[in-house]
């Protein structure tokens, strides 16, 4: 498809385990964004990439969170030593370039038991 | 960072009624966007506004970028059952990342 895709769609993990979430942006989009959406809440900005670099990491909730993007395309968001409060929907979006309209993926629903 | 205040939090309306929701900010935004999110899906862009005072329509949807650049509203006319969902406003401060409102949950009764 032509849209943003994310995998897995759902992830259940035990507290303390590491998880890796993947985002495939729209082809040709140079900017990629990660958001977190807790139950019934708005979207919390986590990090964005322009190309392979991430100029602003200030939105990451803790040092257990990291993200990388290689080849200017796929990005992974890694959460180490997951905690129950990490349970949320993690949304990825991409745009043609920074500050242009963002298009969202369907999200990964993470549940930490 | 700059947060958006979106209201109302939820609305229960009858099919055919018009709906209005708005977002305000304490700081100036360069861009205002309105998204709709269906259950289990990511947000989908409805309307994008890039200029103060701009009024844009998309079918039954109308949105405006406030003159002060600190607010925006979204109107839905003649609501139908498929309008059900969560509507998010989003704004972009100067050279900064996107900020989202907490959402307005719309329920339309047939």
């Amino acid at each position: 498809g032509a849209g943003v895709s994310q995998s897995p769609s759902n992830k259940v993990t035990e507290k303390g385990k590491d998880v890796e979430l993947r985002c495939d942006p729209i082809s040709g989009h140079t900017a990629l964004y990660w958001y977190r959406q807790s139950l019934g809440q708005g979207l919390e900005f986590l990090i964005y990439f322009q190309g392979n670099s991430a100029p602003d990491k200030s939105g990451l909730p803790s040092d257990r969170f990291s993200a990388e993007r290689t080849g200017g395309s796929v990005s992974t968001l890694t959460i180490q030593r997951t905690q129950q409060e990490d349970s949320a929907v993690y949304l990825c979006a991409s745009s043609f370039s920074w500050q242009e309209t963002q298009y969202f993926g369907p999200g990964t629903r993470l549940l930490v038991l | 960072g700059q947060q958006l205040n979106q209201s109302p939090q939820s609305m229960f309306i009858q099919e055919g009624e018009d709906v209005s929701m708005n977002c305000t900010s304490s700081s100036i935004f360069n861009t205002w966007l309105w998204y709709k999110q269906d259950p289990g899906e990511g947000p989908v862009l409805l309307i994008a506004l890039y200029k103060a005072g701009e009024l844009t329509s998309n079918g039954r949807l109308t949105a405006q970028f406030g003159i002060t650049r600190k607010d925006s509203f979204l109107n839905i006319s003649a609501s139908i059952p498929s309008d059900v969902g969560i509507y998010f406003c989003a704004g972009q401060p100067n050279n900064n990342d996107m900020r989202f409102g907490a959402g307005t949950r719309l329920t339309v009764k047939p």
Side-chain angles (χ1 to χ4, degrees):
Chain A
V4 177
S5 60
Q6 291 185 245
S7 62
S9 54
N10 293 281
K11 177 71 177 178
V12 181
T13 190
E14 292 179 349
K15 177 181 173 181
K17 295 283 180 69
D18 298 349
V19 295
E20 195 171 273
L21 313 179
R22 175 186 168 109
C23 173
D24 281 271
I26 293 173
S27 178
H29 280 192
T30 62
L32 185 148
Y33 314 78
W34 283 100
Y35 295 88
R36 180 168 69 175
Q37 185 177 31
S38 300
L39 186 63
Q41 300 296 316
L43 280 70
E44 175 189 5
F45 171 78
L46 298 179
I47 190 171
Y48 86 91
F49 290 88
Q50 180 58 46
N52 289 336
S53 65
D56 182 5
K57 301 180 180 180
S58 62
L60 294 176
S62 76
D63 58 7
R64 297 185 294 104
F65 287 70
S66 63
E68 64 176 19
R69 187 182 188 196
T70 55
S73 182
V74 172
S75 175
T76 54
L77 177 69
T78 301
I79 309 173
Q80 295 178 309
R81 306 181 301 282
T82 52
Q83 303 294 312
Q84 288 180 332
E85 61 263 27
D86 298 335
S87 297
V89 176
Y90 290 82
L91 289 160
C92 173
S94 71
S95 63
F96 185 72
S97 65
W98 167 238
Q99 292 191 334
E100 297 211 15
T101 302
Q102 298 178 28
Y103 296 87
F104 283 82
T108 292
R109 282 144 197 81
L110 175 66
L111 177 60
V112 181
L113 301 176
Chain B
Q2 299 92 335
Q3 296 301 316
L4 299 182
N5 296 309
Q6 184 172 351
S7 65
Q9 286 186 324
S10 61
M11 301 184 75
F12 295 84
I13 62 170
Q14 207 71 37
E15 182 177 359
E17 290 183 355
D18 297 344
V19 172
S20 184
M21 58 193 79
N22 70 85
C23 272
T24 61
S25 169
S26 58
S27 57
I28 289 173
F29 280 66
N30 285 336
T31 303
W32 284 97
L33 304 172
W34 286 93
Y35 287 87
K36 183 192 178 195
Q37 186 175 27
D38 291 325
E41 303 290 331
V44 173
L45 182 67
L46 299 175
I47 293 179
L49 303 160
Y50 300 104
K51 185 178 177 182
E54 181 180 354
L55 182 71
T56 298
S57 293
N58 178 7
R60 294 178 295 106
L61 307 176
T62 302
Q64 184 160 32
F65 192 140
I67 289 291
T68 65
R69 296 168 65 191
K70 294 183 178 181
D71 64 311
S72 176
F73 72 74
L74 174 70
N75 287 343
I76 306 172
S77 62
S79 58
I80 60 178
S82 62
D83 290 335
V84 165
I86 303 176
Y87 292 80
F88 289 100
C89 64
Q92 206 155 28
N94 290 332
N95 299 317
N96 215 329
D97 47 70
M98 194 80 70
R99 300 295 176 183
F100 283 78
T104 294
R105 186 179 297 271
L106 179 64
T107 301
V108 180
K109 294 177 285 187

